[in-house]
Amino acid sequence: MDRARKMLDRGEIPPATLVGATVSRSWERCLGAGLVPFGRLNTEDRISTSRLKETLERRRELLTRARPVMDYLYAQVRGSGSMVVLADEQGVLIEALGDADFVERASRVALKPGASWHETSRGTNAIGTAIVEGTAVLVHGAEHFLEHNRFLTCAAAPVTGSDGRILGVIDVSGHHRVRHPHTSGLVSAASHMIENRLFELHHESQMRLRLHPQAEGIGTLAEGLVALAEDGRIAGANHAARVLLDLRAEDIGRKAIGSVLSFDMPSLCDLAHRQNGRVAPTMTRAGRPLCLRIEPGSRIAPARRRETPRELPLRDALADLDTGDETMKLVIERARKVAGKPIPILLQGESGAGKERVSAAIHASGPRKNAPFIAVNCAALPEHLIESELFGYAPGAFTGARREGSPGRIREANGGTLFLDEIGDMPLSLQSRLLRVLQEREVVPLGGGKPAKVDFALIAASHKPLKAEVEAGRFRSDLYYRLNGLTLKLPALRARTDFAAIVARMLVAFEPDKSLMLAPDVAAAFARYRWPGNLRQLSNALLFACAVLDPGEVMIGWRHLPDDLIEDLQDLDAPAASEGCDSSVAASLRASSDSIIERAVHASEGNMSEAARRLGISRNTLYRRLKACPRPRPKTRPGEPPLQ
């Protein structure tokens, strides 16, 4: 860097090998703009108070959505001698918060609201350079163009709107001696959070697509978000979606969704009415597989009507859960009778048995269906955040709180349904407060304030037997009886008699245009397996299988299943795996799997790696299965390890 600075002092541009490509380009732009590295510090170029007010008003939505994220980001760097800064698209600082000692020093170089940190006036710096480069930037110490900014280390990322235009920049600046390698990742995550909050604000009424290469990625910070106009044009897309679909900013508002995805608008509308919030596989026009969840907006085009026999009743969300199991049918009937009545519902069942889906169906089938459905996972929230998340808080209630306060999830559910998942994991200290809310039907936010009346339907769920938790002293008995207006016990997947119908329905949902089915030996193994993850595990397995099917394939075999599931299925001991199971069926399953393995090895000419790839299992699993196979083992190819 010393060598690079000496070249810069002579008016020369150091090569990228010395300072990196981003800094090299920025220094060249700075010299071209007439900036001098040792130029006099100008602290008087702040915009006027009236112009700052105009800027704040123009970027009010950005500032409102960014403030909670800035609070969170600052909580991660508090005490490290740093500050969090928000700038507009011109590099004008509009909000800042940080440690007092560093904020005072930063103000000496005009790192404060009202000052412009565009590259043309402040030289190479994370905020201004991120605007020019259009991507996240880290500028450390002597990489700053101006000598008097060398004490800084700054990481910034642009915040883009759903139209692809830069709206502003989020930045963390600190003293170069306290540089932390994770700051860049935190800033990038913060920019994505702000972008997604703005996306939801602007496209609430439109159909929205949630995309990710993995089903588990839907609903996370890394998901792609796409909003569609009624005619199928892409009305907006966040950064992740633009990367996944290879979209440019100029494509927004011009390209139709059918030009980048394998679904056109009529197909998406039809799928939205049948998908019911589930994840379905899709593919980009370039052949990249993705997982998709559709959220119909208020202006969604109607689905194509299908002829339905008049004698068939109209189906609602609860009816869609009925696939033939008598236990589940009874659950649905009892839930339908109390839907809309002031009776709390308690759902009990194993993890993955469908408690959240049942609760959403109860809400969607009742009179509150057009009101909010607010789901809170009590087990996923840190204990110190549950109280503020549920009951909300007044402005300035505690350190790190949002300046405008928070209404809390209970007040957000007003008029609709509040679903408290894993209620058994709620701390005892908060159970009494929840009980008072349920009794009084009013909420007092943390930090005081006027009580707010609330009206909501309550559904709670837990995989723990709450009655046993009460007896063990881990759950309040008075809260248990307040929740226990109606207890519905959801059957585990292994206990249901409609397993084949569930599989068929999932396959239709995932691939509506194909007639997919399980290979007979796979179907037999599925029927014998205990499915510890229940519906969630089955859904993920079938979604994976659909994603890896070759074009034209309709039969799901062993090689289409996840590796860990294949190991579980093939390692089942036939006599012990299923009590009362026909031994001839088990023997047939084992013989079929052995035959498939032998054929794969033969087709691969003894190449164990190739055979394992064809089967969709690991090479270690293949070796273990061949060792257990009573037939003569095939010879391995030269270079392959011998069979042990």
Side-chain angles (χ1 to χ4, degrees), residues 1-19 24 27-28 31 35 37-38 142 145 147 150:
M1 183 56 66
D2 288 340
R3 180 183 168 193
R5 295 296 303 191
K6 290 177 181 178
M7 293 180 65
L8 183 62
D9 293 343
R10 296 195 300 267
E12 302 174 11
I13 306 299
T17 54
L18 281 183
V19 294
S24 179
W27 283 7
E28 184 174 7
L31 288 175
L35 295 179
F38 289 92
F145 183 83
E147 182 69 20
R150 289 181 60 170

Side-chain angles (χ1 to χ4, degrees), residues 303-495:
R304 292 170 290 186
R305 297 183 63 86
R306 298 182 178 181
E307 294 297 325
T308 305
R310 290 189 176 182
E311 63 271 14
L312 290 180
L314 292 175
R315 295 180 64 84
D316 59 12
L318 278 172
D320 286 337
L321 299 179
D322 185 5
T323 48
D325 180 75
E326 289 301 321
T327 303
M328 198 64 195
K329 188 188 296 287
L330 179 61
V331 168
I332 293 170
E333 290 175 355
R334 299 182 73 185
R336 192 187 303 282
K337 289 180 180 179
V338 301
K341 295 181 173 64
I343 299 175
I345 297 174
L346 176 61
L347 301 178
Q348 297 260 220
E350 295 181 5
S351 294
K355 297 186 287 295
E356 182 167 359
R357 187 181 176 200
V358 170
S359 66
I362 294 173
H363 169 78
S365 302
R368 298 175 183 262
K369 62 184 179 181
N370 294 322
F373 174 78
I374 303 298
V376 180
N377 190 326
C378 300
L381 289 173
E383 184 172 338
H384 64 284
L385 291 181
I386 293 179
E387 189 172 15
S388 59
E389 182 75 6
L390 278 178
F391 307 110
Y393 53 84
F398 52 87
T399 303
R402 301 175 185 174
R403 295 182 180 180
E404 66 272 24
S406 172
R409 304 296 276 170
I410 291 178
R411 277 193 283 174
E412 289 177 357
N414 188 39
T417 300
L418 177 66
F419 173 55
L420 298 177
D421 198 8
E422 301 302 350
I423 185 71
D425 292 312
M426 176 175 284
L428 278 168
S429 59
L430 295 183
Q431 292 178 21
S432 58
R433 185 159 185 204
L434 176 62
L435 178 63
R436 176 171 293 277
V437 171
L438 299 180
Q439 290 173 338
E440 305 296 334
R441 289 289 165 165
E442 63 180 24
V443 179
V444 178
L446 293 178
K450 185 178 179 182
K453 291 290 184 181
V454 287
D455 170 38
F456 55 83
L458 178 65
I459 304 176
S462 177
H463 73 281
K464 299 178 179 179
L466 288 190
K467 194 171 185 180
E469 293 293 296
V470 170
E471 294 172 355
R474 291 186 293 267
F475 200 83
R476 291 180 61 105
S477 60
D478 46 5
L479 178 58
Y480 169 70
Y481 291 112
R482 174 66 65 173
L483 298 173
N484 188 19
L486 170 66
T487 296
L488 299 175
K489 295 185 178 181
L490 304 188
L493 180 57
R494 60 182 172 276

Side-chain angles (χ1 to χ4, degrees), residues 162-163 198-208 227 235-237:
S162 60
D163 59 358
L198 289 168
F199 181 95
E200 300 289 354
L201 171 69
H202 292 154
H203 302 289
E204 182 180 7
S205 64
Q206 294 175 311
M207 176 187 280
R208 297 178 300 280

Side-chain angles (χ1 to χ4, degrees), residues 245-266:
L245 302 178
D246 195 22
L247 290 172
R248 299 168 300 175
E250 52 266 32
D251 294 329
I252 307 300
R254 296 181 180 180
K255 277 194 173 183
I257 189 62
S259 66
V260 293
L261 275 186
S262 58
F263 286 110
D264 57 11
M265 191 61 177

Side-chain angles (χ1 to χ4, degrees), residues 179-185:
R179 177 184 184 182
H180 197 288
H182 296 159
T183 305
S184 293

